[in-house]
Amino acid sequence: MERVLGTPALFATAYGNVGSSIYYALGVTASFALGLTPLVFAIAGVIFAATAASYAESTVRYPEAGGSSSFARHAYDELVSFGAAWSQTLVYVVTIATSAFFVPHYLSIFWEPLRTNPWDIVGGAVVIVALVALNIVGVQEAARLSVVLAVIDFATQVLLVLMGVVLVFSPQVLVDNIHWGIAPTWSNFAVAIPIAMLAYTGIETVSNLAEEAREPARTIPGAIKLVAIAVFAIYLTLPLVALSAMPVQRIDGQLTTLLGLPPEQGGYANDPVLGIVDNLGLHGAFLNGMQVYVGLLAATILVIATNAGVIGASRITYSMSSYRQMPEIFRRLHPRFKTPWITLLVFACIAPIIVLLPGDVTFVGTLYALGATLSFTVAHASTIALRVRRRDAELLYKSRPNLRIGSVDWPLFAIFGGIATGISFAVIVVQNQATRYVGLGWLLAGFVGYLVYRRYVLHVPARQTVKAPPAFGAALALEYRRIVVPIVPGRPSDDALDLACRLAAERGARIIALTVIEVPLELPLDAPMPHEERVANDELDEAVAIGDTYGVRVLGRLVRGRNASAEIVRVAERRGAELIVLGSPRKSLVDRRRGVFGTTVDRVLRRAPCRVMIAAATNGGRA
Amino acid sequence: MSWYSGSIVVFSAIFVVIGIALLVVTAVNGGGVVGFVLGGLFVALGVARFQLERKRHER
């Protein structure tokens, strides 16, 4: 999946993921929070906003895949990074299981047994196996379709909210729903908050796509803010409508709501959004039409969310293997399809199906919350640590609010978010026995495996960052998989790109076309430079078009810095590039005393972490 | 107007519409503090976010 991603595409992809969570999170949360469900979603939303702020700042600082594990690598060391990555893996495994498990529930409009065990388990497993098979074969994600579906999904959710507000919303019912300390009990209320974070699954998505964004400093914060706003619009209102339509009532002697009851007891915990449709007071053909429409849309969105989880799980474990956090077998590519089939099978197929087998919605919900809260806590802690340890670094984007004490800008959002997610993690561990043993068992097994692998197989300290060599297995033939080509207006760069495209076309590599805007020292790094940005974007568009003519994927990247050579070297390091292809005019005989190439090329040659190829065109001829 | 600014305007409008709907429905149903507070907050949120974006744009 390689494409140029701007704010709209990043937003749509992220909302496609986050927005899908409401289809299962509403019921799970309501089963714990009952009448306080809207309040719980509001509290979880504030924590989500703080988390989104941490992700926005740290992702712009390090626009690379990995999310919290990448932040932890830069802020702390490889051991902490492993902990975050392993938690994320658990989150992806549970996301796959949950999304797939709920697909049959929404398709039960066509066949009722799909709402309950065992058919929902069977249906979920079929969805997982089918998607993993497609990913092993290497089917490309249809980005445009995802964008369209995300927009339709959001519009439908807004429509449901507006219909609900007009047809069933009742402030009095919402007040009557609340029985402080009784329904829900305080312990259930405390557990409901981290569980409601299930609704915010997907914030990592923007982070993971960051390295495919052209201008992360501008597009990432924009996309994250838009996702937060869209999510607030729905997640603060849909629970109000749901609890108005399905109020807390005494059923079998217990105060509960149909929203949180399993289907065996006539509830809608397995398909809460269909429950809203059923209880809006609609009748006849319109009701049937809405049921089919919402059921099909929800199932489609959940399949896409499952697929995003499959891609996420394979990416994070492949990345862990690349950093020698896991055995190399997990980055072995399929000899024919060139996809990481072993990691796909283990972490995107077998593990989620095992999680799915009990068919227990509460278990997967709390397990997700355990992994997510730990991963978020690491992200917050890393944001704080980076602010302290690299206090003098110029930031392209700084989230707010902050408190300046001495020379450190303390990120209040990360401090609040870290405390909140840390407490949420503790609540989940203390309150849920099954989740405690499975979740902590997962973490313990991971850490033991990591330490054994590092100590006895690699003979490398656990805290040291080590990158695996690029050539491995089926990738052996691909000597150059990532080629960085710095682009400036003019013939030498065109020649360099031409040369790189020919190399890439032969070897199936991808090209990162890089344009550096050198910002003068007297200006802040994020100073508006519209002319330079326009020229740079034109150059990158042209580079992508040239790549298309060769059938080579060219990813445009626009970065700002004080010095072009330093930025080129930095991008090559972060991308794990095997080759930098630079264009350079040959100097005349008079100039030769000062060096064969210009200063930028000379500096890159001296500092590059990989091979450097110079396309040195003569004044009028070819390289 | 950029894509981002346009989206902010759309989201702000949605917040305001939801807020007004909450206020109207609450009034029609005979009132209630919760309904009026929620409706008012949604309208305020939408208007405030729109104003923030407008000011950012002016700068």
mmCIF file of all heavy atoms in Angstrom, chain A residues 251-266:
data_model
loop_
_atom_site.group_PDB
_atom_site.id
_atom_site.type_symbol
_atom_site.label_atom_id
_atom_site.label_comp_id
_atom_site.label_asym_id
_atom_site.label_seq_id
_atom_site.Cartn_x
_atom_site.Cartn_y
_atom_site.Cartn_z
ATOM 1 N N ILE A 251 -35.498 -5.568 34.190
ATOM 2 C CA ILE A 251 -35.770 -6.806 33.452
ATOM 3 C C ILE A 251 -35.287 -7.959 34.317
ATOM 4 O O ILE A 251 -34.111 -7.982 34.716
ATOM 5 C CB ILE A 251 -35.045 -6.822 32.081
ATOM 6 C CG1 ILE A 251 -35.535 -5.644 31.219
ATOM 7 C CG2 ILE A 251 -35.268 -8.147 31.350
ATOM 8 C CD1 ILE A 251 -34.796 -5.476 29.918
ATOM 9 N N ASP A 252 -36.175 -8.912 34.597
ATOM 10 C CA ASP A 252 -35.865 -10.052 35.484
ATOM 11 C C ASP A 252 -35.285 -9.569 36.817
ATOM 12 O O ASP A 252 -34.299 -10.123 37.324
ATOM 13 C CB ASP A 252 -34.873 -11.019 34.791
ATOM 14 C CG ASP A 252 -35.498 -11.668 33.565
ATOM 15 O OD1 ASP A 252 -36.745 -11.764 33.529
ATOM 16 O OD2 ASP A 252 -34.749 -12.043 32.639
ATOM 17 N N GLY A 253 -35.843 -8.500 37.330
ATOM 18 C CA GLY A 253 -35.429 -8.001 38.641
ATOM 19 C C GLY A 253 -34.170 -7.164 38.642
ATOM 20 O O GLY A 253 -33.719 -6.713 39.688
ATOM 21 N N GLN A 254 -33.565 -6.962 37.464
ATOM 22 C CA GLN A 254 -32.316 -6.194 37.416
ATOM 23 C C GLN A 254 -32.484 -4.953 36.548
ATOM 24 O O GLN A 254 -33.159 -5.003 35.508
ATOM 25 C CB GLN A 254 -31.200 -7.046 36.820
ATOM 26 C CG GLN A 254 -30.564 -8.002 37.832
ATOM 27 C CD GLN A 254 -29.222 -8.506 37.331
ATOM 28 O OE1 GLN A 254 -29.099 -8.792 36.149
ATOM 29 N NE2 GLN A 254 -28.252 -8.633 38.223
ATOM 30 N N LEU A 255 -31.856 -3.860 37.007
ATOM 31 C CA LEU A 255 -31.882 -2.640 36.186
ATOM 32 C C LEU A 255 -30.897 -2.807 35.041
ATOM 33 O O LEU A 255 -29.698 -3.014 35.261
ATOM 34 C CB LEU A 255 -31.502 -1.429 37.047
ATOM 35 C CG LEU A 255 -32.585 -0.919 38.001
ATOM 36 C CD1 LEU A 255 -32.011 0.089 38.974
ATOM 37 C CD2 LEU A 255 -33.733 -0.285 37.209
ATOM 38 N N THR A 256 -31.385 -2.723 33.839
ATOM 39 C CA THR A 256 -30.518 -2.908 32.674
ATOM 40 C C THR A 256 -31.129 -2.214 31.457
ATOM 41 O O THR A 256 -32.214 -1.640 31.536
ATOM 42 C CB THR A 256 -30.279 -4.412 32.400
ATOM 43 O OG1 THR A 256 -29.327 -4.543 31.353
ATOM 44 C CG2 THR A 256 -31.559 -5.126 31.995
ATOM 45 N N THR A 257 -30.414 -2.248 30.349
ATOM 46 C CA THR A 257 -30.937 -1.677 29.108
ATOM 47 C C THR A 257 -30.803 -2.703 27.991
ATOM 48 O O THR A 257 -29.835 -3.490 27.973
ATOM 49 C CB THR A 257 -30.181 -0.391 28.709
ATOM 50 O OG1 THR A 257 -30.461 -0.078 27.347
ATOM 51 C CG2 THR A 257 -28.691 -0.522 28.874
ATOM 52 N N LEU A 258 -31.741 -2.691 27.077
ATOM 53 C CA LEU A 258 -31.675 -3.629 25.941
ATOM 54 C C LEU A 258 -30.389 -3.429 25.141
ATOM 55 O O LEU A 258 -29.899 -4.344 24.496
ATOM 56 C CB LEU A 258 -32.879 -3.422 25.021
ATOM 57 C CG LEU A 258 -34.244 -3.882 25.547
ATOM 58 C CD1 LEU A 258 -35.344 -3.570 24.528
ATOM 59 C CD2 LEU A 258 -34.237 -5.376 25.857
ATOM 60 N N LEU A 259 -29.849 -2.208 25.222
ATOM 61 C CA LEU A 259 -28.625 -1.901 24.474
ATOM 62 C C LEU A 259 -27.455 -2.782 24.924
ATOM 63 O O LEU A 259 -26.581 -3.126 24.123
ATOM 64 C CB LEU A 259 -28.265 -0.426 24.689
ATOM 65 C CG LEU A 259 -27.164 0.180 23.834
ATOM 66 C CD1 LEU A 259 -27.505 0.115 22.359
ATOM 67 C CD2 LEU A 259 -26.911 1.631 24.241
ATOM 68 N N GLY A 260 -27.454 -3.165 26.204
ATOM 69 C CA GLY A 260 -26.335 -3.943 26.729
ATOM 70 C C GLY A 260 -26.653 -5.406 26.969
ATOM 71 O O GLY A 260 -25.798 -6.154 27.438
ATOM 72 N N LEU A 261 -27.855 -5.823 26.626
ATOM 73 C CA LEU A 261 -28.227 -7.228 26.848
ATOM 74 C C LEU A 261 -27.904 -8.076 25.624
ATOM 75 O O LEU A 261 -28.031 -7.607 24.490
ATOM 76 C CB LEU A 261 -29.729 -7.344 27.138
ATOM 77 C CG LEU A 261 -30.207 -7.043 28.563
ATOM 78 C CD1 LEU A 261 -31.718 -7.239 28.640
ATOM 79 C CD2 LEU A 261 -29.503 -7.927 29.578
ATOM 80 N N PRO A 262 -27.507 -9.331 25.842
ATOM 81 C CA PRO A 262 -27.236 -10.218 24.692
ATOM 82 C C PRO A 262 -28.533 -10.563 23.957
ATOM 83 O O PRO A 262 -29.622 -10.436 24.528
ATOM 84 C CB PRO A 262 -26.615 -11.454 25.342
ATOM 85 C CG PRO A 262 -27.050 -11.419 26.760
ATOM 86 C CD PRO A 262 -27.250 -9.991 27.124
ATOM 87 N N PRO A 263 -28.415 -11.020 22.694
ATOM 88 C CA PRO A 263 -29.617 -11.300 21.902
ATOM 89 C C PRO A 263 -30.494 -12.394 22.507
ATOM 90 O O PRO A 263 -31.707 -12.385 22.331
ATOM 91 C CB PRO A 263 -29.059 -11.730 20.540
ATOM 92 C CG PRO A 263 -27.620 -12.021 20.757
ATOM 93 C CD PRO A 263 -27.187 -11.224 21.928
ATOM 94 N N GLU A 264 -29.868 -13.330 23.257
ATOM 95 C CA GLU A 264 -30.651 -14.410 23.869
ATOM 96 C C GLU A 264 -31.688 -13.838 24.840
ATOM 97 O O GLU A 264 -32.719 -14.451 25.088
ATOM 98 C CB GLU A 264 -29.747 -15.388 24.635
ATOM 99 C CG GLU A 264 -28.739 -16.144 23.774
ATOM 100 C CD GLU A 264 -27.471 -15.346 23.517
ATOM 101 O OE1 GLU A 264 -27.368 -14.195 23.996
ATOM 102 O OE2 GLU A 264 -26.594 -15.858 22.793
ATOM 103 N N GLN A 265 -31.401 -12.649 25.380
ATOM 104 C CA GLN A 265 -32.338 -12.022 26.324
ATOM 105 C C GLN A 265 -33.112 -10.884 25.652
ATOM 106 O O GLN A 265 -33.656 -10.020 26.324
ATOM 107 C CB GLN A 265 -31.561 -11.494 27.538
ATOM 108 C CG GLN A 265 -30.928 -12.603 28.369
ATOM 109 C CD GLN A 265 -30.075 -12.036 29.501
ATOM 110 O OE1 GLN A 265 -28.851 -12.049 29.437
ATOM 111 N NE2 GLN A 265 -30.727 -11.536 30.526
ATOM 112 N N GLY A 266 -33.105 -10.911 24.326
ATOM 113 C CA GLY A 266 -33.870 -9.923 23.573
ATOM 114 C C GLY A 266 -33.173 -8.584 23.428
ATOM 115 O O GLY A 266 -33.799 -7.598 23.018
#
